[in-house]
C-alpha cells in the first residue's frame, strides 16, 4: 500500500517534470518564432526590392517609381563616424579610469552607476536634450547634432565593456611594466589596453551596432535630407530615419524601399554582432595568459 | 642586463638591434631612458586627470540632460503646475495641455508587454540554461541576442505590415468573441491599438529579460544543483528548489530593466499604437505614449508653451526611467556582485 502511494507520487513528480520541460520548450519556441518570422519576411521582401539603384540613387519625388537610398546610406556613414569619434574615446577613457585608477572609490561607483542609468535613458530624451543644446543655438538641424546624440548613447556600453576587459588583465602584466620603470600612463596605454584590445573592440562594435539602428534621437537632430550631403552643419539623411518615413507613408513603392533599407541595416548589424561573437569565442584576451 | 633592455624595447614597441651592443663608457640605455622620462610624474598626473575628466563627462551628461529638460520645460511647469500630470486635455490650438493620456498609454502598453514577455522569457532562460542540449544552447542564445540587435524601426515596419493585419483579421475577432464581456476587448477594431503596441513591445523586451535571467541563473553554484539532484529531485524540482530561489532578485532586476526599455521605446510603438490621446478601457482602441507624442509632435510644436509642455513630458519620462533603471541595477548588482558579468 505504502509502496503504491510512493509510486504514484513518483509518477506525479515525473509528470510534473515533463510538464515543466514541455512548457519551457514551448516558451523557447514562441520566443524564436517571431524572430524567424521577422527574418524570413525581411529577406523575402527586402531581397526582392534590392537593386543597384537602391545604392546609387537618391529618392524620387512622391509618386514617381524608383529611386534609392544613397543619401541615407552616406548619411548613416557620416553620423556613425561622428558618433564613434565622440563616443569611443570618451567611453574608453572613462573605462580606463574606472578600472585602473578608481576601483573602490565612491566617485567611481557613482560614475559606474550613472553609466548604467545613461544606458537606460530613452533615446528620444537624449534627442531632446541635444536638440535644445545644439539645434536651438545653431538655429538649424545638423548632422553634427545627430552624431553627438548617437555618440552620447555609445558611451555607456563602451565604458562598461572597457572596464570589464581591463579588469581581466592579470596584475602581473601591469607590475612587470612598472618594474621596468615605465611610467604608469605608458604601461596603461601600451600594455594593459593593448592586452585587452580585442575585448574593447568588441564593446565598441556592440555600441556601434546599437546606435546604427537608432531612429528616435535623429528625428529632431539630423532631421533627414532627400539629397546626398556630407556637410556636418546641414540636415542629413539616415537609414533608420528614412525607413521610418517610408514605412508610415501610404505608397507601395516607398514600402518596398523601406524593406530594402531594413535588410541593408540588419545585414550591417548582424555582421558586426556575429563578428563580435567570433572574436570573443576565440578568446577575449590575446597575449595574456 | 641585455635581456632587460630587450624587454624594455619591446615594451616601447620599437626594435633596436643595437641595444645589446652598447659601449660600456656611455650611460646605459635604461639610465638615459629614465633621465628622459624624469617628468613621468607630471605625465602620469596629466593622464590620470584626462581619464578622470572622461569619467566625469558621463556624470555631467546625465546631469545636463536633467537640467536642460527642467529648464526648457519651466514655462509649462509654471503654467500648469502639478495638474499637468493628471489632466487629460491635449489641445494645441487652445494651448491646454495635460499628460494623463500619455502616461496612461505608456504604463498600460508597458505592463501589457511585461505580462506577455515575463513568462515567456523566464521559461526560455530556464530552457536554455538548464534543459537544452549544449550544441543547441549556443545557437539559441545567439538567436535571442539577434532579437535584441534588430532596430526598433524594423520591428515597427514588421508590426505595421504583418502583425497589425494579423491582429485585425484573426486574433482580435477571436478575443472579442471570447473575452468581449470583460470590456477589455470591445469596440471598433482598427488593428492599430494598445494591444498591438503591447505585443511588439513584448517581442522587443524578451531578449533583455531572458539574457539577464540566463546570466543570473548561471551564477547559481553548480553544487547547489548537484545537491538537489543527489537528494533525488527531478530536474524541475531541482530548478524550483535550488535555482529559481537563488536567482529571483536578479530575475526581478531583469524584468524591471525590461520595463525601463519598454517605457522609453519610441519608434515601433509610434508606428502601431494609433496615436490618439484618449483613454479607453478597451485594449483594441488606439492610444498614445509619452515617447510617441514626442516623436510625432516635437518638430511641429509651433508655440513655446506647446514645446515646453512636450519637453515636460520628456522630463517625466526621463525621471521615470531613471528610477526604474536604478532599481533594476540595484537588484541585479545584489545578485551578481562578485561574479564577473556583462549587462547589455
Amino acid at each position: 500500500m505504502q509502496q503504491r502511494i510512493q509510486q504514484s507520487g513518483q509518477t506525479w513528480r515525473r509528470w510534473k517534470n515533463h510538464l515543466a520541460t514541455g512548457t519551457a520548450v514551448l516558451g523557447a519556441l514562441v520566443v524564436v518564432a517571431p524572430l524567424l518570422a521577422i527574418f524570413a519576411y525581411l529577406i523575402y521582401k527586402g531581397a526582392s526590392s534590392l537593386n543597384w539603384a537602391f545604392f546609387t540613387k537618391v529618392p524620387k519625388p512622391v509618386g514617381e517609381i524608383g529611386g534609392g537610398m544613397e543619401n541615407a546610406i552616406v548619411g548613416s556613414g557620416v553620423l556613425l563616424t561622428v558618433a564613434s569619434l565622440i563616443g569611443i574615446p570618451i567611453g574608453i577613457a572613462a573605462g580606463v579610469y574606472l578600472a585602473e585608477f578608481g576601483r573602490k572609490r565612491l566617485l567611481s561607483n557613482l560614475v559606474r552607476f550613472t553609466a548604467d542609468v545613461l544606458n537606460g535613458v530613452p533615446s528620444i530624451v537624449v534627442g531632446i536634450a541635444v536638440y535644445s543644446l545644439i539645434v536651438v543655438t545653431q538655429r538649424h538641424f545638423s548632422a553634427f547634432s545627430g552624431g553627438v546624440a548617437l555618440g552620447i548613447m555609445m558611451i555607456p556600453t563602451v565604458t562598461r565593456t572597457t572596464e570589464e576587459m581591463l579588469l581581466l588583465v592579470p596584475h602581473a602584466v601591469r607590475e612587470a611594466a612598472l618594474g621596468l620603470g615605465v611610467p604608469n600612463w605608458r604601461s596603461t596605454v601600451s600594455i594593459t589596453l593593448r592586452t585587452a584590445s580585442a575585448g574593447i573592440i568588441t564593446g565598441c562594435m556592440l555600441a556601434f551596432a546599437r546606435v546604427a539602428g537608432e531612429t528616435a534621437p535623429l528625428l529632431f537632430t539630423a532631421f533627414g535630407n532627400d539629397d546626398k550631403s556630407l556637410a556636418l552643419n546641414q540636415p542629413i539623411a539616415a537609414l533608420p530615419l528614412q525607413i521610418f518615413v517610408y514605412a508610415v507613408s501610404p505608397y507601395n513603392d516607398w514600402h518596398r524601399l523601406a524593406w530594402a533599407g531594413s535588410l541593408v541595416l540588419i545585414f550591417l548589424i548582424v555582421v558586426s554582432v556575429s563578428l563580435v561573437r567570433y572574436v570573443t569565442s576565440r578568446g577575449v584576451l590575446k597575449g595574456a595568459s | 642586463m641585455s635581456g632587460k633592455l630587450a624587454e624594455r624595447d619591446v615594451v616601447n614597441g620599437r626594435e633596436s638591434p643595437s641595444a645589446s651592443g652598447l659601449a660600456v663608457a656611455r650611460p646605459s640605455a635604461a639610465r638615459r631612458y629614465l633621465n628622459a622620462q624624469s617628468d613621468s610624474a607630471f605625465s602620469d598626473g596629466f593622464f590620470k586627470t584626462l581619464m578622470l575628466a572622461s569619467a566625469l563627462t558621463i556624470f555631467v551628461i546625465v546631469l545636463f540632460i536633467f537640467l536642460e529638460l527642467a529648464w526648457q520645460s519651466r514655462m509649462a511647469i509654471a503654467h500648469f503646475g502639478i495638474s499637468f500630470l493628471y489632466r487629460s486635455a491635449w489641445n494645441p490650438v487652445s494651448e491646454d495641455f495635460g499628460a494623463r493620456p500619455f502616461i496612461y498609454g505608456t504604463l498600460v502598453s508597458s505592463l501589457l508587454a511585461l505580462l506577455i514577455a515575463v513568462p515567456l522569457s523566464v521559461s526560455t532562460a530556464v530552457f536554455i540554461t538548464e534543459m537544452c542540449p549544449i550544441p543547441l544552447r549556443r545557437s539559441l542564445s545567439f538567436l535571442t541576442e539577434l532579437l535584441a540587435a534588430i532596430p526598433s524601426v524594423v520591428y515597427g515596419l514588421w508590426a505595421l505590415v504583418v502583425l497589425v493585419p494579423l491582429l485585425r483579421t484573426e486574433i482580435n475577432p477571436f478575443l472579442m468573441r471570447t473575452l468581449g464581456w470583460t470590456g477589455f476587448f470591445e469596440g471598433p477594431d482598427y488593428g492599430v491599438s494598445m494591444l498591438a503596441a503591447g505585443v511588439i513591445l513584448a517581442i522587443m523586451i524578451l531578449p533583455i529579460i531572458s539574457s539577464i535571467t540566463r546570466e543570473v541563473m548561471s551564477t547559481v553554484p553548480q553544487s547547489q544543483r548537484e545537491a538537489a539532484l543527489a537528494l533525488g529531485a527531478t530536474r524541475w524540482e531541482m530548478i524550483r528548489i535550488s535555482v529559481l530561489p537563488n536567482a529571483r532578485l536578479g530575475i526581478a532586476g531583469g524584468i524591471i530593466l525590461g520595463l525601463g526599455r519598454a517605457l522609453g521605446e519610441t519608434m515601433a510603438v509610434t508606428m502601431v499604437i494609433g496615436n490618439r490621446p484618449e483613454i479607453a478601457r478597451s485594449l483594441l482602441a488606439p492610444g498614445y505614449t509619452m515617447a510617441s507624442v514626442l516623436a510625432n509632435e516635437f518638430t511641429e510644436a509651433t508655440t513655446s508653451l506647446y514645446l515646453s509642455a512636450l519637453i515636460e513630458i520628456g522630463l517625466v519620462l526621463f525621471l521615470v526611467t531613471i528610477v526604474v533603471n536604478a532599481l533594476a541595477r540595484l537588484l541585479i548588482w545584489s545578485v551578481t556582485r562578485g561574479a564577473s558579468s556583462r549587462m547589455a
Side-chain angles (χ1 to χ4, degrees):
Chain A
M1 184 67 192
Q2 202 172 11
Q3 203 174 11
R4 182 174 293 170
I5 291 173
Q6 208 176 352
Q7 220 154 35
S8 78
Q10 292 273 352
T11 327
W12 168 231
R13 286 175 57 207
R14 203 166 300 143
W15 267 107
K16 223 162 54 169
N17 186 29
H18 289 316
L19 199 70
T21 311
T23 316
V25 173
L26 204 68
L29 283 178
V30 172
V31 170
V32 174
L35 177 79
L36 294 180
I38 290 174
F39 263 100
Y41 204 76
L42 189 67
I43 290 168
Y44 160 68
K45 277 282 196 177
S48 62
S49 13
L50 259 187
N51 51 27
W52 191 239
F54 180 84
F55 296 99
T56 55
K57 293 257 180 14
V58 298
K60 289 256 173 81
V62 176
E64 281 182 47
I65 302 291
M69 284 198 183
E70 191 200 3
N71 58 335
I73 294 169
V74 172
S76 270
V78 172
L79 285 169
L80 289 171
T81 311
V82 175
S84 306
L85 287 179
I86 294 170
I88 291 178
I90 296 181
I92 290 183
V96 167
Y97 178 80
L98 293 181
E100 303 290 322
F101 297 110
R103 291 201 179 182
K104 289 224 160 78
R105 296 220 197 114
L106 185 68
L107 178 68
S108 30
N109 273 333
L110 187 72
V111 169
R112 223 164 267 145
F113 193 71
T114 8
D116 283 346
V117 165
L118 183 58
N119 206 8
V121 170
S123 54
I124 194 151
V125 172
V126 176
I128 294 175
V130 173
Y131 169 86
S132 46
L133 175 73
I134 301 179
V135 178
V136 170
T137 46
Q138 272 191 331
R139 290 167 191 279
H140 57 81
F141 300 107
S142 65
F144 176 69
S145 58
V148 170
L150 295 184
I152 288 178
M153 302 191 60
M154 283 180 85
I155 293 176
T157 314
V158 177
T159 300
R160 297 293 274 150
T161 352
T162 304
E163 186 199 354
E164 274 156 28
M165 293 304 137
L166 289 179
L167 289 181
L168 290 181
V169 177
H171 253 298
V173 175
R174 294 185 184 89
E175 281 157 10
L178 294 177
L180 290 169
V182 177
N184 201 3
W185 69 270
R186 194 66 204 263
S187 131
T188 305
V189 173
S190 326
I191 308 290
T192 328
L193 271 177
R194 227 186 200 185
T195 313
S197 59
I200 292 172
I201 292 170
T202 304
C204 294
M205 293 203 56
L206 280 178
F208 184 86
R210 184 185 158 200
V211 299
E214 275 297 343
T215 319
L218 300 179
L219 285 169
F220 21 83
T221 52
F223 194 68
N225 189 341
D226 271 350
D227 287 317
K228 192 168 85 168
S229 158
L230 286 170
L232 283 183
N233 59 356
Q234 292 300 316
I236 200 167
L239 211 41
L241 204 56
Q242 197 96 353
I243 294 170
F244 171 64
V245 172
Y246 280 12
V248 296
S249 78
Y251 313 109
N252 272 334
D253 197 51
W254 280 13
H255 282 169
R256 184 184 66 79
L257 283 173
W259 283 111
S262 304
L263 186 62
V264 172
L265 190 60
I266 291 265
F267 181 75
L268 204 109
I269 292 170
V270 167
V271 164
S272 50
V273 172
S274 325
L275 218 62
V276 164
R277 278 293 272 215
Y278 177 69
V279 170
T280 43
S281 70
R282 284 181 61 231
V284 178
L285 299 178
K286 64 174 187 197
S289 52
Chain B
M1 184 67 200
S2 71
K4 214 174 177 184
L5 281 176
E7 229 175 298
R8 199 262 302 158
D9 283 324
V10 171
V11 163
N12 283 331
R14 285 198 306 264
E15 292 294 330
S16 92
S18 64
S20 53
L22 281 173
V24 184
R26 283 160 55 196
S28 73
R31 173 51 56 200
R32 274 189 285 133
Y33 176 78
L34 285 175
N35 285 344
Q37 302 291 315
S38 61
D39 54 357
S40 69
F42 172 76
S43 53
D44 270 351
F46 179 73
F47 182 70
K48 187 177 173 181
T49 316
L50 197 67
M51 299 297 114
L52 175 64
S54 301
L56 286 179
T57 308
I58 298 177
F59 185 67
V60 170
I61 286 173
V62 173
L63 197 67
F64 159 78
I65 293 176
F66 172 70
L67 292 177
E68 188 72 31
L69 292 176
W71 176 246
Q72 298 292 340
S73 59
R74 65 194 184 279
M75 194 191 249
I77 295 174
H79 198 276
F80 299 110
I82 193 76
S83 74
F84 184 78
L85 298 179
Y86 57 82
R87 272 156 25 90
S88 44
W90 189 259
N91 191 339
V93 180
S94 61
E95 300 216 305
D96 193 12
F97 302 108
R100 187 164 159 187
F102 311 111
I103 295 175
Y104 173 84
T106 298
L107 288 181
V108 170
S109 59
S110 304
L111 292 180
L112 204 58
L114 283 187
L115 210 62
I116 302 170
V118 168
L120 284 178
S121 49
V122 172
S123 71
T124 308
V126 166
F127 177 72
I128 292 179
T129 47
E130 309 291 334
M131 301 170 171
C132 175
I134 306 279
L136 199 59
R137 183 178 294 183
R138 278 184 64 86
S139 46
L140 261 182
S141 55
F142 180 59
L143 270 180
T144 44
E145 263 174 47
L146 272 188
L147 210 52
I150 297 179
S152 152
V153 68
V154 176
Y155 276 115
L157 179 59
W158 179 78
L160 204 58
V161 175
V162 179
L163 182 66
V164 167
L166 184 74
L167 283 174
R168 194 171 46 215
T169 56
E170 306 289 334
I171 299 173
N172 288 354
F174 170 75
L175 286 173
M176 278 153 101
R177 265 201 318 277
T178 51
L179 293 166
W181 52 272
T182 55
F184 291 122
F185 304 98
E186 60 178 17
D189 177 16
Y190 304 103
V192 288
S193 59
M194 201 66 103
L195 182 67
V199 171
I200 197 69
L201 274 178
I203 296 178
M204 296 178 70
I205 62 174
L206 266 170
I208 299 168
I209 304 179
S210 135
S211 74
I212 288 179
T213 306
R214 240 170 35 221
E215 203 163 313
V216 171
M217 283 176 36
S218 63
T219 61
V220 175
Q222 202 60 36
S223 54
Q224 294 251 12
R225 297 189 177 86
E226 282 158 9
L229 289 176
L231 289 172
T234 61
R235 188 160 55 183
W236 165 241
E237 283 163 344
M238 178 270 284
I239 294 167
R240 199 169 53 89
I241 295 166
S242 61
V243 179
L244 289 180
N246 277 317
R248 67 177 189 279
L249 272 183
I251 296 175
I255 292 170
I256 298 175
L257 206 60
L259 175 67
R261 189 55 62 88
L263 291 173
E265 183 44 55
T266 314
M267 302 319 294
V269 173
T270 308
M271 289 159 91
V272 299
I273 200 169
N275 299 332
R276 198 168 71 185
E278 278 166 26
I279 295 179
R281 184 174 176 191
S282 170
L283 296 176
L284 303 184
Y288 222 153
T289 68
M290 295 196 264
S292 40
V293 73
L294 290 173
N296 279 326
E297 301 187 8
F298 198 78
T299 46
E300 292 163 10
T302 39
T303 62
S304 45
L305 186 62
Y306 190 6
L307 192 65
S308 178
L310 282 172
I311 295 180
E312 190 176 348
I313 289 182
L315 180 67
V316 174
L317 186 59
F318 176 74
L319 292 177
V320 169
T321 46
I322 284 213
V323 170
V324 167
N325 276 297
L327 200 65
R329 292 296 171 187
L330 288 178
L331 279 172
I332 297 171
W333 277 8
S334 70
V335 175
T336 53
R337 194 175 40 207
S340 153
S341 58
R342 194 170 78 222
M343 302 297 171

